[in-house]
Amino acid sequence: MTGVTDHLPADWRDALLLGRVELAVGPTPVLVREGRVLDISDFAATTADAVATSGLAEAQGVDLGPLEDMDFAVSWDPASAGATHLLSPLDLQCVKASGVTFAVSAVERVIEERARGDAQRANEIRAQLAERVGADLSAVKPGSAEAMKLKDILIADGLWSQYLEVAIGKDAEIFTKTPVLSSVGWGDFVGVRADSDWNNPEPEVVILCAADGRAVGATLGNDVNLRDIEGRSALLLGKAKDNNASAALGPFVRLFDDGFTMDDLRAAEISLEVRGEDGFVMRGASSMSLISRDPLDLIGQTVGKAHQYPDGFALYLGTMFAPIQDRDAPGQGFTHHMGDRVRVASERLGVLENTVTTSEQAPPWTLGISGLMRNLAARGLLGVSA
């Protein structure tokens, strides 16, 4: 049996978890409460509707049994293919991401830009820039007078970059990570383009928000990044970030309540582990306490009078983890190999685990909005949610 309980929050029996599973009838929203899995499709047809409907925490549903007894399919065990598929917890929500929200990642983006996608050249630039720029950035509040003073100094030194503009300027980088319904979940394959030679996972906290911008919960995410492609030009961000299976989330969204609050999220520690079939192991960690922009500020820069999300949205909050550990040759840094097992973990959110393949070889994305609507209509669920 391939269970998910060892990938759940340490206190998962006391947590309210929102997710989606693939049942015989189609994608189905579920609520995990007191350790039991409830099919809440009669309460809300989608997780987007569930978040928008009052009384979600007390929602009734068809009891599918204890979570610990459920058998789930995982990419690293072909024998589990016939088991229940734990989907990404997102369906109709727009998937957004914020970038360069930690000083370390800002430095790495500057390095990518100057190296033009050359990993070996990046190592040389890193030695020149990291100490000078990294120390200053970590002590500066974005948009402050001190930040503008630092900007002037860096321009004078010839070190200014568009990445530093979003790192310490007043405006955050907010972009669309992946189309509606295209994200993948716990146990799935994650994809990197076959033509990328320098890429890495980005372990992040992802906040789920209702249409009004209210933060309702959080999950873990892997914002897969192609460093060589974005490094050639920031205008290639879409090609670097939005590919088949390049956005992973899960295993569940933990809903905010008295036992799990935004302050818990602000204090979260995020760990990353990559294990290759070649025996390579890389570990790292980042702390949300070091983020340069508060999560509520990032939400406020995503939704408002200038931009609405009627079905809500999920927002990747960025990462401070930028892997530079050499893997294949000295000075070449880290890049994925096919078959890598990637684990993103946090005590209060659980563990998101996936296997790396190419975007071309990952299961294709086939269920779009029209297909989901046809499925829900056939099940008589389109008039269920408020």
Side-chain angles (χ1 to χ4, degrees), residues 305-337:
K305 292 183 178 179
H307 206 315
Q308 296 80 45
Y309 301 91
D311 293 304
F313 63 96
L315 179 63
Y316 283 78
L317 296 181
T319 185
M320 67 173 286
F321 188 75
I324 59 175
Q325 179 179 339
D326 289 335
R327 182 171 195 175
D328 296 320
Q332 290 295 310
F334 170 85
T335 195
H336 271 306
H337 287 190

Side-chain angles (χ1 to χ4, degrees), residues 244-245 359-367:
N244 187 36
S359 293
E360 294 82 354
Q361 293 179 331
W365 171 37
T366 57
L367 183 67

Side-chain angles (χ1 to χ4, degrees), residues 109-123 125 198 231-232:
R109 291 296 184 270
V110 174
I111 292 168
E112 286 174 11
E113 180 184 43
R114 292 173 178 268
R116 294 291 188 266
D118 184 333
Q120 186 167 6
R121 173 63 178 146
N123 205 42
I125 298 170
W198 185 25
R232 297 206 315 267

Side-chain angles (χ1 to χ4, degrees), residues 19-334:
R20 294 166 64 236
V21 297
E22 182 71 50
L23 299 182
V25 292
T28 301
V30 296
L31 184 68
V32 180
R33 187 171 58 215
E34 297 179 349
R36 301 193 72 84
V37 183
L38 304 177
D39 169 357
I40 59 169
S41 56
D42 283 339
F43 171 82
T46 63
T47 58
D49 280 334
V51 166
T53 305
S54 62
L56 173 57
E58 295 79 31
Q60 300 302 303
V62 178
D63 192 333
L64 301 180
L67 179 58
E68 59 196 342
D69 289 347
M70 296 193 73
D71 191 15
F72 292 104
V74 292
S75 54
W76 54 86
D77 180 9
S80 72
T84 303
H85 188 190
L86 183 60
L87 303 169
S88 163
L90 305 183
D91 41 47
L92 297 180
Q93 300 91 344
C94 191
V95 187
K96 309 293 287 188
S98 48
V100 202
T101 54
F102 290 83
V104 172
S105 64
V107 171
E108 284 301 310
R109 291 296 184 270
V110 174
I111 292 168
E112 286 174 11
E113 180 184 43
R114 292 173 178 268
R116 294 291 188 266
D118 184 333
Q120 186 167 6
R121 173 63 178 146
N123 205 42
E124 300 170 6
I125 298 170
R126 186 175 296 111
Q128 300 168 8
L129 295 181
E131 182 176 355
R132 169 76 168 94
V133 180
D136 288 336
L137 287 185
S138 63
V140 172
K141 180 180 179 180
S144 66
E146 291 79 8
M148 296 305 97
K149 181 179 179 181
L150 175 59
K151 176 178 179 178
D152 291 340
I153 293 172
L154 292 172
I155 289 174
D157 288 349
L159 296 177
W160 191 245
S161 160
Q162 58 197 333
Y163 292 107
L164 294 175
E165 177 63 46
V166 295
I168 65 175
K170 65 182 181 67
D171 297 317
E173 179 190 19
I174 306 290
F175 59 94
T176 299
K177 167 63 181 177
T178 199
V180 168
L181 285 172
S182 69
S183 59
V184 298
W186 172 89
D188 278 332
F189 286 100
V190 288
V192 298
R193 290 177 61 99
D195 57 356
S196 171
D197 296 320
W198 185 25
N199 47 70
N200 63 261
E202 292 192 353
E204 304 187 21
V205 168
V206 183
I207 290 188
L208 180 61
C209 296
D212 60 2
R214 174 175 49 92
V216 299
T219 188
L220 294 169
N222 182 355
D223 177 13
V224 180
N225 184 42
L226 310 183
R227 300 188 71 179
D228 49 354
I229 290 178
E230 186 181 357
R232 297 206 315 267
S233 170
L235 297 180
L236 293 173
L237 179 67
K239 188 171 185 177
K241 289 287 192 179
D242 180 11
N243 298 289
N244 187 36
S246 67
L249 301 103
F252 295 92
V253 170
R254 181 167 188 170
L255 300 176
F256 290 128
D257 56 19
D258 292 342
F260 181 65
T261 67
M262 182 63 74
D263 283 339
D264 291 314
L265 203 65
R266 292 184 175 108
E269 299 288 328
I270 314 300
S271 66
L272 171 72
E273 179 183 270
V274 177
R275 286 186 173 271
E277 294 179 338
D278 57 353
F280 175 87
V281 178
M282 179 179 68
R283 295 185 178 92
S286 63
S287 173
M288 283 293 293
S289 66
L290 299 177
I291 197 168
S292 58
R293 299 181 192 268
D294 187 78
L296 293 182
D297 174 39
L298 292 169
I299 292 171
Q301 293 208 37
T302 304
V303 64
K305 292 183 178 179
H307 206 315
Q308 296 80 45
Y309 301 91
D311 293 304
F313 63 96
L315 179 63
Y316 283 78
L317 296 181
T319 185
M320 67 173 286
F321 188 75
I324 59 175
Q325 179 179 339
D326 289 335
R327 182 171 195 175
D328 296 320
Q332 290 295 310
F334 170 85

